[in-house]
Amino acid sequence: MTQVFTNLDYQAEVDLLIRLGSRLTGSKHHQELVNHVETRLQSMGYAVHSDEFSLKYMPPFTSTPSLTVDEHPIDISSVFPYSGFTSPEGITGKLVKLRATLPPWSSAQGRIAIVEISNPSISAEALVKSWEGSQSRGSQGNPLLPATIAGLSIARAKANGVRAVIFAWDGTISPAAAANQYLPFTFDYQDIPVVFTAGEASRRVIEATEKGKSAKIAMPSTGLEDASTRTIWAVAEGEKSDETILVVTHTDGLNVIEENGHIGGLQLAQDVLATKPTRTHVFVFVSGHMRIPAVTKHGQATTKWLQDHPEWWRGERGERKAIAGLVIEHLGAMEYVDDPAEGVLRRTGRPMRELLYANTQELATLLKNEWNGMEPGQTSVAKPSAFIQFGEGEPLSQRSIPNVALVSTPIYLLAEWKGNENELIDLEGMIRQINSFRKLRELAEKMDTQAFGIPIEASPIQYAFQGVSLAIAAGKFWLGQNQ
C-alpha cells in the first residue's frame, strides 16, 4: 500500500522566520520559534520533551555602537559577539596599530589596539575534503575563519590591559559583506569591547592611528543577563525499538537561512506518522548553536543532547543504538559573491553550492544516486576531515554514528540581514532538499544496519596532512594583507 505524505506550508514557515528576524540563543524571538516548533509537534500528536538550561545572555545594546575620532563618526561593520560593553559615555584611548601575526598586546596597554586582518580566498579542499568523484569546490573567502582566528588572542589583549580592540578588515572583503556579521560566535564572554571595520572606515581608522590620534568606542549595554533556553525533542517509536534514526537541526540563528532546518525536521516528523516506522525516530531541535560555550566546551551544540541522552544512541546495555543520522541545516541558500574592488555583495541568481557531508563511503554513494538538491544532477559529497566538520553533524561523527549532514555556507550565513530576506532563499530548491531528506529517511527504514557503513576515522598521516593544510590556510590569513 502506497503511503500518502502531506506537505507542510513551507512558505508560511519561511515567512515566520523573516518576521522573527534574528533569533540569537536565549532571545525572545528565539524562544518564540522554539515554542512554535513545540506546538507543531504537539499538534501532530507527539509528546515533546524539553531540556532547559541557563546561560548568560548579552541583550541588544541600549543604543547603536559607535566609533569616533575627533568627534567624527567611523562606521562599525560589526561587533564581536560577547566581547564586552561600555557605559553610555564609552571609553577613550590612544590608537596603536599592532601586527596581525601574534599581536604584541602589551604594546597597547591602556590604549585601543588596531589590528588589520584579511579575508583571503582559500582552497576549499584545505578545509573540506570530498569523496572520490565529487567536483572540486574551488576557492572562496569567508570571514568565519579569519574572524575566529583573530578572536583566539582577545583573552591575551584583556590580560595585557588593552582597553578595546578594532579589527580592521583590509581590501579583501567589501563593507557590504562585512556588515552585521555575527562573528566569531564560538567564544565565551571576553570582557573587552571589540569591533570590526571595513572599506573606507578601516582606511580612516588606520590613518588616525598613524597620526597618533585617540578614539572613542561606545557599546552601551545593561550587561549580561541571566536567561534560559531549551532543546526540544520528540520520539516516534518503531517496530525495531532497539535501533534509532536521529533527525537533528538547531533553532537559533541570524536570518532566514541560518537557521531554517526546523522546516525539514517538522516535515520528516509528520511523514513518520503516516504509518508506524520500522525504526524508532528521534527528532532533536537543538538550542545553543549560536552560543556554544554555554552548552559545551568541545564540539557543536548537539554534543550536549548526546551527553544528556545516551539511552537514545549509544547502544550499551539497556540503551538504543543510533544506526543513522540526518542533519538538516541552511536549506535553500542562494549564492552571493563579494566584490571588494567595487565594494558590493552581489546576488548571482544561482543556488549556493551545497556543503553536503556523508561520513561513510556507503552513504556517500547513496547520496550520489539519490540526492536531488539545489543543483539537480550536480551532487558533490564532502567527507569529514581529521579536524573539521562544519555544523551539527560533527557530534554524530565524533561518536561514530553514520550520518548525512547538509550545512551550506554562503558568505551571508552569519549576518543579520538588513535587506529582503526572500532573496536569500530559493523555495523550490529548499523543497527539493527536503524531499531528498524524506527519501533518505524512507531508505534508512529499509536498509540493513551494515549497509550504512562504518564512519571514517582519520589516520596519523591524514591528521598530519590536514594540520599542514590548516596551517597554510591560517598563514594566508595572517599574511594576507602583505601579499
Side-chain angles (χ1 to χ4, degrees):
M1 181 176 178
T2 302
Q3 297 179 18
V4 178
F5 298 125
T6 58
N7 294 338
L8 297 179
D9 186 341
Y10 299 127
Q11 186 63 62
E13 296 295 326
V14 169
D15 290 344
L16 172 65
L17 293 176
I18 293 175
R19 178 180 67 78
L20 291 175
S22 176
R23 303 167 300 284
L24 295 176
T25 314
S27 68
K28 177 182 176 181
H29 286 170
H30 175 224
Q31 187 57 50
E32 188 173 339
L33 179 63
V34 174
N35 292 344
H36 167 78
V37 174
E38 180 179 49
T39 298
R40 291 302 305 270
L41 289 169
Q42 290 171 338
S43 69
M44 295 175 192
Y46 283 96
V48 179
H49 306 270
S50 181
D51 296 348
E52 186 170 352
F53 58 93
S54 60
L55 71 157
K56 291 294 184 180
Y57 170 64
M58 176 70 85
F61 294 107
T62 54
S63 62
T64 303
S66 63
L67 168 63
T68 58
V69 175
D70 291 340
E71 303 299 324
H72 297 295
I74 295 178
D75 290 339
I76 293 174
S77 293
S78 64
V79 171
F80 188 126
Y82 285 84
S83 57
F85 57 90
T86 72
S87 67
E89 293 74 28
I91 59 173
T92 301
K94 187 174 182 179
L95 295 167
V96 57
K97 186 179 180 184
L98 305 179
R99 67 173 182 264
T101 309
L102 302 177
W105 295 112
S106 60
S107 299
Q109 184 177 13
R111 302 180 179 186
I112 296 175
I114 311 292
V115 180
E116 191 174 15
I117 61 174
S118 185
N119 183 44
S121 180
I122 296 172
S123 169
E125 290 299 312
L127 302 175
V128 180
K129 303 303 177 185
S130 297
W131 289 99
E132 185 177 352
S134 294
Q135 299 177 5
S136 171
R137 298 178 183 277
S139 298
Q140 64 180 23
N142 191 305
L144 172 61
L145 176 63
T148 302
I149 292 174
L152 292 172
S153 64
I154 288 300
R156 292 198 298 273
K158 171 66 178 178
N160 280 278
V162 179
R163 302 205 72 193
V165 177
I166 302 171
F167 285 122
W169 290 111
D170 64 10
T172 54
I173 186 171
S174 72
N180 305 308
Q181 291 278 357
Y182 194 77
L183 295 172
F185 68 95
T186 53
F187 294 96
D188 210 345
Y189 182 65
Q190 302 293 300
D191 196 22
I192 176 174
V194 182
V195 300
F196 292 83
T197 61
E200 177 66 12
S202 288
R203 187 194 65 77
R204 287 178 59 198
V205 77
I206 290 173
E207 183 180 83
T209 304
E210 293 169 347
K211 293 180 178 178
K213 293 184 178 292
S214 294
K216 183 174 79 171
I217 293 178
M219 295 166 52
S221 172
T222 55
L224 297 177
E225 299 176 353
D226 291 325
S228 65
T229 186
R230 59 198 181 111
T231 288
I232 60 174
W233 51 284
V235 178
E237 288 287 357
E239 295 173 359
K240 293 182 178 179
S241 60
D242 59 330
E243 294 183 340
T244 63
I245 297 172
L246 305 182
V247 180
V248 178
T249 188
H250 67 92
T251 52
D252 36 359
L254 282 302
N255 54 53
V256 73
I257 300 299
E258 174 74 275
E259 178 56 65
N260 60 22
H262 81 277
I263 304 174
L266 287 174
Q267 181 64 75
L268 268 62
Q270 181 170 279
D271 288 352
V272 169
L273 299 180
T275 186
K276 187 176 179 63
T278 303
R279 292 179 164 117
T280 293
H281 288 59
V282 186
F283 299 91
V284 187
F285 299 83
V286 172
S287 178
H289 183 86
M290 304 309 305
R291 193 76 191 93
I292 287 175
V295 296
T296 180
K297 293 182 179 179
H298 305 286
Q300 297 286 327
T302 303
T303 299
K304 178 173 174 56
W305 187 88
L306 292 170
Q307 290 173 339
D308 291 346
H309 300 286
E311 69 274 14
W312 291 105
W313 65 269
R314 191 165 58 183
E316 295 185 3
R317 185 175 182 179
E319 297 173 342
R320 320 287 186 101
K321 174 68 174 178
I323 51 89
L326 300 174
V327 184
I328 309 172
E329 299 182 65
H330 314 165
L331 294 163
M334 293 296 289
E335 181 187 61
Y336 279 67
V337 173
D338 191 28
D339 186 344
E342 295 295 327
V344 297
L345 183 64
R346 290 194 174 93
R347 186 180 191 273
T348 66
R350 299 188 296 268
M352 180 67 197
R353 183 79 176 274
E354 291 172 331
L355 178 50
L356 181 65
Y357 283 106
N359 70 341
T360 73
Q361 176 67 70
E362 289 82 354
L363 288 177
T365 300
L366 184 67
L367 285 176
K368 289 175 185 176
N369 293 332
E370 304 293 345
W371 185 263
N372 183 42
M374 291 293 284
E375 298 178 281
Q378 299 187 48
T379 303
S380 290
V381 185
K383 178 192 300 185
S385 71
F387 293 110
I388 294 177
Q389 179 177 348
F390 293 109
E392 293 296 340
E394 180 263 354
L396 277 64
S397 292
Q398 289 297 318
R399 288 155 183 80
S400 297
I401 300 172
N403 72 88
V404 168
L406 176 68
V407 57
S408 304
T409 56
I411 193 170
Y412 57 80
L413 181 66
L414 293 163
E416 294 188 358
W417 196 254
K418 301 304 181 183
N420 181 1
E421 290 195 49
N422 283 299
E423 294 184 350
L424 301 181
I425 189 165
D426 173 33
L427 195 66
E428 292 303 315
M430 181 187 81
I431 292 171
R432 287 195 298 273
Q433 290 173 326
I434 292 174
N435 285 340
S436 291
F437 275 115
R438 297 168 86 175
K439 187 170 186 179
L440 291 174
R441 189 202 67 78
E442 291 185 67
L443 291 170
E445 283 270 74
K446 305 170 184 176
M447 292 167 59
D448 292 335
T449 302
Q450 294 76 16
F452 293 99
I454 300 174
I456 57 174
E457 293 185 4
S459 67
I461 292 176
Q462 288 173 314
Y463 272 106
F465 178 78
Q466 184 71 13
V468 170
S469 297
L470 289 174
I472 292 172
K476 289 192 70 175
F477 157 68
W478 290 121
L479 302 175
Q481 59 266 38
N482 297 319
Q483 295 182 357

